[in-house]
């Protein structure tokens, strides 16, 4: 039987855990390092330069369970243009009274292999989602959009509001959630986030939050098409951020088929959400489509893409270094 052989130098050198070398960036530290309009611009520049296609980003590993609803995943990406290799490892478990998402992002220098940072993954996901929503909404929503409907009352829904408000001056934001008290509290958080001139309304039925809006955002775990049957008449832009599969999504099959669909990456969208996404525009296509998109019904069917997390990580690390 072979035995491991260790040099005297290594044997006598105590190992140092990662925590001895650096402290993970906390949720507050990640949030403080973000300039959201600047990050939106950096995402656009990176996509226009073709850096997403130059990067290596495998389809993410995901394991889902239903009781309780749980998602466990790992999302790597490596970009020599940014000099970064990252992996986001996340666990989403819906239990009463607990934090829904726990995640970390580990970042390495591609030139040296050095560990650069361990970041709070939930905070990074939040700002990435807000930035991508802002980028897509800016190119798809009508220029004078003033009415926003939000379905969902969690953290991701709040980031949708943050993203839309970065690129459009909303006059009225209407929110809907299944739990009245939780939705009222969510509305208060939205008011604190938005300019005082923006009116935040709580809808007691879903239709009031969906129909007649310029922009609609959904951020739920629903397996049923929440927006099916509602009048989503062009021009309207819809950001669908919930979990999508070939058998479950927040919009109906008919609505998806009758819209211009935008995805982060077509290959992963088809693999995760079905063939209806095979003709979708990727983000780079959207950026080159011009103003014509704003006259149509557009749906951003988001599955997430770790290259976008990588760009957000680069932004946070650069900002933190300057501080």
């Amino acid at each position: 039987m072979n035995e491991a052989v260790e040099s005297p130098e290594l044997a006598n050198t105590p190992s140092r855990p990662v925590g001895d070398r650096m402290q993970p960036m906390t949720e507050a530290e990640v949030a403080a390092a973000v300039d959201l309009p600047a990050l939106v611009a950096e995402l656009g520049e990176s996509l226009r330069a073709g850096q997403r296609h130059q990067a290596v980003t495998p389809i993410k590993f995901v394991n889902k369970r239903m009781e309780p609803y749980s998602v466990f995943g790992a999302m790597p990406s490596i970009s020599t243009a940014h000099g970064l290799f990252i992996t986001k490892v996340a666990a989403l478990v819906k239990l009463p009274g607990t934090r829904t998402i726990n995640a970390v992002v580990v970042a390495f220098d591609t030139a040296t292999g050095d560990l650069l940072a361990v970041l709070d993954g939930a905070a990074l996901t939040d700002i990435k989602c807000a930035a991508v929503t802002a980028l897509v909404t800016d190119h798809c929503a009508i220029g004078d959009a003033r009415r926003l409907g939000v379905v969902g009352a969690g953290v991701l829904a709040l980031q949708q509001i943050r993203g839309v408000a970065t690129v459009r001056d909303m006059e009225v934001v209407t929110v809907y959630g299944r739990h009245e008290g939780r939705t009222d509290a969510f509305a208060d958080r939205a008011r604190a986030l938005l300019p005082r001139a923006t009116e935040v309304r709580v809808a007691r039925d879903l239709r009031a939050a969906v129909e007649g809006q310029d922009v609609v955002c959904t951020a739920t775990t629903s397996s049923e098409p929440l927006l099916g049957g509602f009048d989503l008449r062009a021009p309207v832009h819809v950001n669908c951020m919930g979990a999508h599969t070939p058998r479950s999504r927040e919009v109906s099959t008919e609505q998806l088929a009758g819209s211009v669909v935008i995805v982060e990456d077509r290959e992963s969208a088809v693999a995760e959400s079905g063939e209806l996404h095979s003709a979708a525009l990727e983000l780079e296509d959207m950026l080159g489509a011009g103003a014509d998109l704003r006259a149509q019904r557009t749906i951003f069917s988001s599955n997430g893409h770790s290259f976008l997390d990588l760009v957000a990580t680069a932004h946070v690390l650069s900002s933190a270094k300057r501080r």
Side-chain angles (χ1 to χ4, degrees), residues 5-296:
V5 177
E6 191 173 63
S7 72
E9 292 83 4
L10 289 176
N12 295 323
T13 301
S15 61
R16 293 196 305 167
V18 169
D20 285 352
R21 288 183 280 150
M22 67 173 60
Q23 293 297 317
M25 289 187 69
T26 65
E27 180 178 4
E29 289 169 336
V30 171
V34 175
D35 178 338
L36 187 55
L39 175 55
V40 175
E42 289 164 16
L43 280 172
E45 291 165 5
S46 182
L47 291 165
R48 290 187 182 92
Q51 291 173 350
R52 184 178 69 85
H53 292 296
Q54 296 164 11
V56 177
T57 307
I59 292 176
K60 61 179 175 278
F61 163 80
V62 176
N63 178 266
K64 294 183 181 180
R65 305 174 185 182
M66 297 310 296
E67 295 296 338
Y69 180 80
S70 310
V71 181
F72 303 92
M75 301 173 63
S77 185
I78 183 168
S79 169
T80 53
H82 295 85
L84 283 178
F85 166 54
I86 72 156
T87 298
K88 180 167 71 175
V89 183
L92 182 156
V93 180
K94 293 205 72 173
L95 291 174
T98 65
R99 176 172 174 166
T100 302
I101 299 177
N102 291 287
V104 294
V105 174
V106 185
F108 294 88
D109 187 318
T110 57
T112 65
D114 288 344
L115 175 64
L116 297 176
V118 179
L119 303 90
D120 183 280
L124 190 87
T125 299
D126 287 349
I127 62 105
K128 181 278 302 279
C129 289
V132 176
T133 292
L135 181 70
V136 175
T137 301
D138 196 29
H139 284 79
C140 294
I142 58 175
D144 60 348
R146 296 293 181 265
R147 296 165 297 175
L148 168 63
V150 179
V151 182
V155 173
L156 186 53
L158 196 65
Q159 299 309 314
Q160 295 306 291
I161 294 175
R162 184 183 181 192
V164 172
T166 300
V167 296
R168 294 292 185 274
D169 295 322
M170 288 293 141
E171 293 179 355
V172 180
V173 175
T174 304
V175 301
Y176 171 81
R178 290 181 301 170
H179 305 286
E180 186 172 316
R182 193 179 305 167
T183 306
D184 290 339
F186 174 82
D188 288 338
R189 293 196 298 274
R191 292 184 184 101
L193 182 69
L194 293 164
R196 294 183 65 180
T198 303
E199 179 185 358
V200 178
R201 301 173 180 170
V202 176
R204 297 310 181 195
D205 66 89
L206 181 55
R207 185 179 299 275
V210 173
E211 293 189 346
Q213 310 294 342
D214 299 315
V215 180
V216 176
C217 296
T218 61
T220 74
T221 57
S222 176
S223 60
E224 300 296 326
L226 293 173
L227 305 189
F230 293 126
D231 184 9
L232 294 173
R233 191 173 305 172
V236 62
H237 173 62
V238 182
N239 293 308
C240 288
M241 307 301 288
H244 304 143
T245 73
R247 292 170 297 279
S248 64
R249 57 179 62 92
E250 293 170 311
V251 293
S252 69
T253 298
E254 293 74 20
Q255 288 169 331
L256 201 64
S259 303
V260 177
V261 179
I262 297 102
V263 297
E264 293 99 338
D265 175 79
R266 195 178 300 111
E267 179 185 4
S268 59
V270 170
E272 296 176 31
S273 301
E275 285 295 328
L276 273 174
H277 294 76
S278 60
L281 301 181
E282 294 185 328
L283 292 176
E284 294 86 350
D285 303 322
M286 177 200 73
L287 293 174
D292 290 346
L293 287 178
R294 296 179 178 175
Q296 304 180 61

